[in-house]
């Protein structure tokens, strides 16, 4: 088997320098790292992936980019990421993009300066030029979690938003609801498009297309309340059930119903999406589509670490969801 002396001889340096390049690459020059990496690959002293890692100083830092750090949906995902990262000796830097391209670019610029080894995206609201340019860097991988790009093929961990929505709408139909409205997230968001498609297709399959009505929110409490008022404070036949693209919006709808004196679930059923902590403690407790958020975070981080190690990965992992039935849904009033 090749020894460290063989590496030193091939690299034209001392064994101490080789050891230093292996253990503390930031303490040797770039030229020396390159020579040692080439020698390691040449003599077969260690796997090629170690040689690849020597070609740059690792930061042992992973960046995860969020659209809105105040949204409680992301907390369990981040917990899952940090659990895996810390076990592997990495730290997680959380970046709140606030849907600002300049802020996103600042975080992406950590890659070429070796201040971050890779990025996990929890939002698709990122300039495509940034994503494509970073994706071209073979030594600084990107992984997408929860959302996806329709025009950029990144390794992704997600759920089947279409089927999860179809299951929720089928459940409402099984209770006897024929007027089911929906409060969507931003219409340009890929996961919202999939949920809206699942909503329309399921109503069409049940012969209820004529009752479909979708209003647009932004995933937050306030937009849920505002759009709940739009749907419920009207003279036309109001919906007997409302499906929301997030639990926060569903809780906003519950507030609107309360303010209008509409009893839930006796006169209105409400279904959310995500199963955040608030969903179990609002009044009434919220029926919701539960995403495996902790597992999404774990799997996304494992995927990124595998890419950093030069390993092949399944580029699209789809995790299962579950409809959690609580007290905000019931049969419609006769």
């Amino acid at each position: 088997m090749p020894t460290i002396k063989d590496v030193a001889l091939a690299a034209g340096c001392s064994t101490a320098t080789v050891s230093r390049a292996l253990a503390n690459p930031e303490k040797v020059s770039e030229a020396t790292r390159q020579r040692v990496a080439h020698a390691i690959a040449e003599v077969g002293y260690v796997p090629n992936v170690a040689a690849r890692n020597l070609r740059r100083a690792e930061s042992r830092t992973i960046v995860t980019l969020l659209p809105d750090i105040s949204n409680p949906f992301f907390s369990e995902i981040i917990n899952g990421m940090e659990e895996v990262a810390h076990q592997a000796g990495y730290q997680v830097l959380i970046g709140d993009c606030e849907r600002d391209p300049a802020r996103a670019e600042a975080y992406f610029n950590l890659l070429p300066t070796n201040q971050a080894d890779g990025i996990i995206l929890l939002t698709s609201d990122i300039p495509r030029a940034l994503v494509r340019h970073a994706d071209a860097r073979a030594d600084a991988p990107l992984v997408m979690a929860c959302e996806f790009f329709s025009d950029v093929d990144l390794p992704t961990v997600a759920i089947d938003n279409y089927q999860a929505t179809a299951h929720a709408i089928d459940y409402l139909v099984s209770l006897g609801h024929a007027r089911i409205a929906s409060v969507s997230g931003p219409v340009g968001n890929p996961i919202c498009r999939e949920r809206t498609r699942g909503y329309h297709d399921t109503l069409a399959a049940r012969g209820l297309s004529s009752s479909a009505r979708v209003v647009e929110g932004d995933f937050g409490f306030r937009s849920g309340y505002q759009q709940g008022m739009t749907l419920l404070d009207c003279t036309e036949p109001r919906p007997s059930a409302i499906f929301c693209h997030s639990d926060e919006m569903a809780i906003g709808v519950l507030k609107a119903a309360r303010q209008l004196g509409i009893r839930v679930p006796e006169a209105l059923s409400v279904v959310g999406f995500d199963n955040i902590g608030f969903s179990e403690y609002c009044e009434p407790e919220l029926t919701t589509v539960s995403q495996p958020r902790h597992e999404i975070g774990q799997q996304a981080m494992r995927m990124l670490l595998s890419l950093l190690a030069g390993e092949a990965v399944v580029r699209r992992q789809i995790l299962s969801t579950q409809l959690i039935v609580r007290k905000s849904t019931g049969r419609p009033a006769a």
Side-chain angles (χ1 to χ4, degrees):
M1 295 291 292
T3 68
I4 197 169
K5 292 182 179 179
D6 298 317
V7 176
L9 182 63
C13 62
S14 68
T15 55
T17 298
V18 174
S19 296
R20 193 158 47 248
L22 287 168
N24 303 106
E26 72 278 4
K27 294 185 178 181
V28 300
S29 68
E30 176 65 18
T32 300
R33 283 200 302 271
Q34 292 281 4
R35 290 205 317 275
V36 171
H38 180 77
I40 284 172
E42 181 181 345
V43 304
Y45 176 65
V46 292
N48 287 340
V49 63
R52 178 185 64 80
N53 287 341
L54 284 174
R55 285 196 281 271
R56 62 183 177 87
E58 289 186 303
S59 68
R60 309 297 289 183
T61 297
I62 304 301
V63 175
T64 181
L65 296 186
L66 317 178
D68 179 6
I69 201 169
S70 67
N71 189 332
F73 168 76
F74 297 110
S75 59
E76 277 296 307
I77 297 176
I78 293 170
N79 284 342
M81 288 181 182
E82 290 196 325
E83 179 181 295
V84 173
H86 290 168
Q87 289 173 355
Y90 283 79
Q91 61 183 345
V92 179
L93 174 63
I94 300 171
D96 184 1
C97 290
E98 295 184 349
R99 298 181 173 85
D100 180 353
R103 290 174 70 99
E105 184 173 7
Y107 287 111
F108 271 81
N109 285 340
L110 297 177
L111 294 176
T113 58
N114 291 333
Q115 296 178 74
D117 298 330
I119 294 179
I120 298 177
L121 301 173
L122 295 179
T123 174
S124 59
D125 196 9
I126 301 286
R128 296 300 188 272
L130 275 179
V131 176
R132 291 192 178 96
H133 180 72
D135 190 41
R137 288 175 53 90
D139 60 347
L142 305 181
V143 167
M144 175 69 79
C146 299
E147 297 193 11
F148 61 91
F149 293 113
S150 57
D151 54 350
V152 183
D153 181 25
L154 292 183
T156 300
V157 180
I159 63 166
D160 189 331
N161 288 280
Y162 179 93
Q163 287 298 334
T165 298
H167 186 197
I169 301 304
D170 263 335
Y171 164 70
L172 289 171
V173 173
S174 75
L175 291 177
H177 292 281
R179 299 189 309 278
I180 304 171
S182 176
V183 181
S184 80
V187 294
N189 186 299
I191 65 172
C192 295
R193 289 199 297 267
E194 284 297 289
R195 291 176 191 178
T196 298
R197 190 168 66 88
Y199 165 80
H200 283 298
D201 286 356
T202 306
L203 288 183
R206 302 296 177 263
L208 298 172
S209 289
S210 61
S211 67
R213 187 179 179 191
V214 178
V215 293
E216 181 183 1
D218 63 6
F219 292 123
F221 293 111
R222 183 183 299 274
S223 71
Y225 168 76
Q226 292 170 337
Q227 298 295 18
M229 294 296 290
T230 297
L231 291 170
L232 298 173
D233 190 15
C234 59
T235 56
E236 61 186 74
R238 67 174 183 243
S240 64
I242 299 178
F243 168 73
C244 300
H245 284 196
S246 75
D247 287 345
E248 286 195 18
M249 292 194 297
I251 293 170
V253 169
L254 290 178
K255 178 179 178 180
R258 224 171 18 249
Q259 186 169 313
L260 295 170
I262 300 171
R263 292 176 60 82
V264 177
E266 292 83 359
L268 175 71
S269 286
V270 180
V271 176
F273 208 110
D274 295 333
N275 195 30
I276 63 174
F278 292 128
S279 65
E280 190 175 359
Y281 294 97
C282 61
E283 181 60 37
E285 296 173 12
L286 184 65
T287 294
T288 183
V289 176
S290 179
Q291 294 201 56
R293 292 178 292 141
H294 192 78
E295 185 181 0
I296 288 172
Q298 290 178 318
Q299 293 293 79
M301 185 58 70
R302 288 182 184 128
M303 182 181 284
L304 186 65
L305 295 180
S306 293
L307 291 171
L308 283 169
E311 300 169 358
V313 299
V314 176
R315 290 187 65 84
R316 190 166 180 81
Q317 295 184 25
I318 303 299
L319 305 184
S320 299
T321 59
Q322 181 182 5
L323 181 65
I324 307 295
V325 177
R326 297 194 180 105
K327 296 179 181 179
S328 68
T329 50
R331 295 191 175 277

